[in-house]
Amino acid sequence: MSVKPTRLNQNNEIIYVTKPALPPLEEFVPYLEKIWNSKILTNNGSFHKQLEDDLADYLGVSCISLFCNGTIALLTALQALDIQGEVITTPYSFVATAHCLIWNKIKPVFVDIEPECCNLDPEKIEAAITSRTTAVLPVHVYGNPCDVEAIQAIADKHGLKVIYDAAHAFGVKKNGISMMNHGDLSVLSFHATKAFTTFEGGAIVSRDRKTKERIDKLKNFGFAGETSVVECGINGKMNEIQAAFGVLYLKYIESYVKKRKAIVFQYRDALKNIDGIRLMNDIEGVVHNYGYFPVFVDEEKYGISRDALYEKLKRHNIYGRRYFYPLISQFSAYRDSAMFGPGTLPVAEKTAEQVVCLPVYPDLGEAIVDVICHLFDRSAN
Ligand SMILES: Cc1ncc(COP(=O)(O)O)c(C=O)c1O
């Protein structure tokens, strides 16, 4: 390994896996003044409308509905399509993916992932379909596109809906087409840790106006007019401060993604030839957002376990995250189901034991990335 940083992280700066980039505060002040003057704080105000339009343009989608966060958006997406019974999903995700099923009284049926991108393995979906299956809920993990064609073919064959948890896939395109334009619905998260953020926030991308109108009613208590409530909705609305921030953030997104990309390429260059360390590379035809940089540790070849590496980084104030360990199916809230016990999801289980995501964020300095890479040297302590 050629990297020779001049010093380790000696100033004790804590480097977390992510740190949100923020546009200059003074640029946000006029947005706040507009809100203060209008006294419209929420309920589909002008920033809310503008952000929906701006995002539809930027993402290349026809309909988008903003939400207070991605979890409520996921819950609402399932309601909007009347999903019931069983849903096939991945154990290799953030817990919210499966929690939303349970909150809708739907049984999550975990299916194994493929080892390359860590997404739901389409080849294993059909064996998990039963007479109660109504939908598939895949996740574009780390923003890497799922095999959308294979998943759609299975869904069409069995009459299933497809809802993508696209929390990691903001702005991701394949062959010029937004990943949000696949399946019946795609759900985004704008949490502070994501490539595009509104502090908290989320959205559902739908394919037609009628579905968007239903979603918009559902996120506003089911109101269809001043005195008419047509379904049992929830409060999923994004407020005006979040929306205004999103409008401003969108002006910076390209420059932030560019900075993330430079960091990811620096990591790749430094870590590419280490025996026992697997990296993820760009996929041909895909525009990535570089939201995550996972590395996979093969203890036998590398000589050090993933956890030992993770702890070593921590000793140097580098706080990677083991996304996604444990698997959702291994949490006590899910473990009851013997169906998904040890050995039943072998690829996901192995991946969860090997992964650590390294820090990536727009303001992460080159020198710190050098330090992190140097720590991969087995002799560095
Ligand atoms: C894959 C995935 N799904 C859903 C969520 C939930 O989104 P939110 O935090 O905006 O509720 C997140 C992350 O936060 C996530 O990473």
Side-chain angles (χ1 to χ4, degrees):
M1 194 165 47
S2 59
V3 181
K4 289 269 182 290
T6 47
R7 61 190 169 82
L8 294 181
N9 187 17
Q10 280 164 348
N11 57 355
N12 283 336
E13 189 188 353
I14 293 187
I15 307 295
Y16 294 107
V17 74
T18 189
K19 182 159 90 177
L22 296 173
L25 182 58
E26 60 274 18
E27 286 188 32
F28 194 42
V29 173
Y31 291 71
L32 292 174
E33 284 170 349
K34 204 170 159 195
I35 294 169
W36 256 245
N37 290 336
S38 73
K39 309 281 185 289
I40 307 283
L41 308 188
T42 187
N43 286 10
N44 206 18
S46 63
F47 282 120
H48 186 284
K49 287 191 195 113
Q50 187 181 343
L51 184 58
E52 285 198 343
D53 291 347
D54 291 358
L55 283 175
D57 268 3
Y58 181 78
L59 296 172
V61 301
S62 51
C63 301
I64 186 160
S65 304
L66 300 177
F67 276 80
C68 53
N69 61 55
T71 302
I72 300 287
L74 270 172
L75 281 175
T76 309
L78 292 159
Q79 291 271 330
L81 299 184
D82 298 313
I83 305 297
Q84 295 171 5
E86 295 177 4
V87 167
I88 289 171
T89 191
T90 171
Y92 193 80
S93 180
F94 183 62
V95 280
T97 309
H99 280 0
C100 292
L101 297 170
I102 305 273
W103 270 54
N104 272 303
K105 306 243 178 299
I106 296 163
K107 180 180 169 193
V109 174
F110 296 112
V111 161
D112 210 357
I113 59 171
E114 40 78 22
E116 214 51 44
C117 293
C118 307
N119 288 329
L120 195 58
D121 187 343
E123 288 189 7
K124 297 183 185 144
I125 292 176
E126 276 196 290
I129 296 174
T130 72
S131 57
R132 286 173 44 78
T133 310
T134 55
V136 188
L137 177 58
V139 181
H140 301 297
V141 177
Y142 311 129
N144 286 326
C146 290
D147 186 344
V148 289
E149 288 83 16
I151 291 170
Q152 196 57 55
I154 296 164
D156 290 345
K157 183 170 159 198
H158 295 274
L160 308 177
K161 301 282 188 201
V162 182
I163 300 176
Y164 282 102
D165 179 337
H168 300 181
F170 184 87
V172 175
K173 291 186 174 160
K174 190 168 178 189
N175 300 329
I177 296 171
S178 168
M179 289 316 296
M180 312 299 106
N181 281 329
H182 296 284
D184 296 278
L185 300 173
S186 289
V187 178
L188 287 156
S189 164
F190 304 151
H191 185 257
T193 52
K194 300 295 188 277
F196 173 84
T197 181
T198 55
F199 286 51
E200 292 269 1
I204 301 180
V205 172
S206 49
R207 310 292 288 276
D208 58 80
R209 299 295 310 172
K210 205 165 149 234
T211 310
K212 173 173 164 51
E213 277 163 25
R214 170 118 201 263
I215 291 166
D216 289 346
K217 271 188 218 120
L218 280 169
K219 77 170 194 192
N220 187 26
F221 309 99
F223 274 108
E226 196 185 330
T227 56
S228 134
V229 172
V230 292
E231 15 196 356
C232 192
I234 198 165
N235 182 358
K237 288 169 288 158
M238 178 182 276
N239 70 49
E240 280 293 276
I241 293 191
Q242 285 172 287
F245 186 78
V247 170
L248 177 60
Y249 204 90
L250 204 50
K251 298 184 199 301
Y252 283 86
I253 189 73
E254 292 285 326
S255 69
Y256 291 159
V257 171
K258 206 167 147 199
K259 287 183 181 173
R260 287 175 179 278
K261 181 174 178 175
I263 291 159
V264 165
F265 276 65
Q266 190 186 342
Y267 274 132
R268 283 181 186 160
D269 200 38
L271 303 177
K272 67 184 172 210
N273 291 326
I274 304 179
D275 206 22
I277 299 293
R278 178 170 84 88
L279 314 176
M280 279 184 165
N281 290 308
D282 280 13
I283 300 165
E284 210 186 316
V286 173
V287 174
H288 295 272
N289 65 21
Y290 303 99
Y292 298 84
F293 189 72
V295 301
F296 303 88
V297 182
D298 179 335
E299 184 179 349
E300 251 176 54
K301 288 192 188 142
Y302 182 54
I304 298 173
S305 72
R306 182 276 312 270
D307 286 340
L309 175 66
Y310 166 79
E311 293 298 338
K312 174 175 161 182
L313 292 170
K314 245 165 95 173
R315 282 201 303 279
H316 290 274
N317 281 342
I318 310 295
Y319 284 64
R321 289 297 296 267
R322 291 165 289 182
Y323 295 139
F324 288 101
Y325 162 85
L327 297 177
I328 301 177
S329 48
Q330 291 168 339
F331 284 120
S332 59
Y334 288 84
R335 226 186 278 146
D336 277 357
S337 172
M339 254 176 99
F340 310 113
T344 54
L345 300 159
V347 181
E349 287 166 33
K350 184 173 169 199
T351 308
E353 292 294 331
Q354 293 191 331
V355 69
V356 58
C357 287
L358 302 182
V360 179
Y361 49 87
D363 299 329
L364 182 62
E366 244 180 71
I368 293 289
V369 177
D370 273 352
V371 168
I372 296 170
C373 294
H374 175 73
L375 291 169
F376 274 74
D377 197 327
R378 292 172 201 82
S379 59
N381 285 307

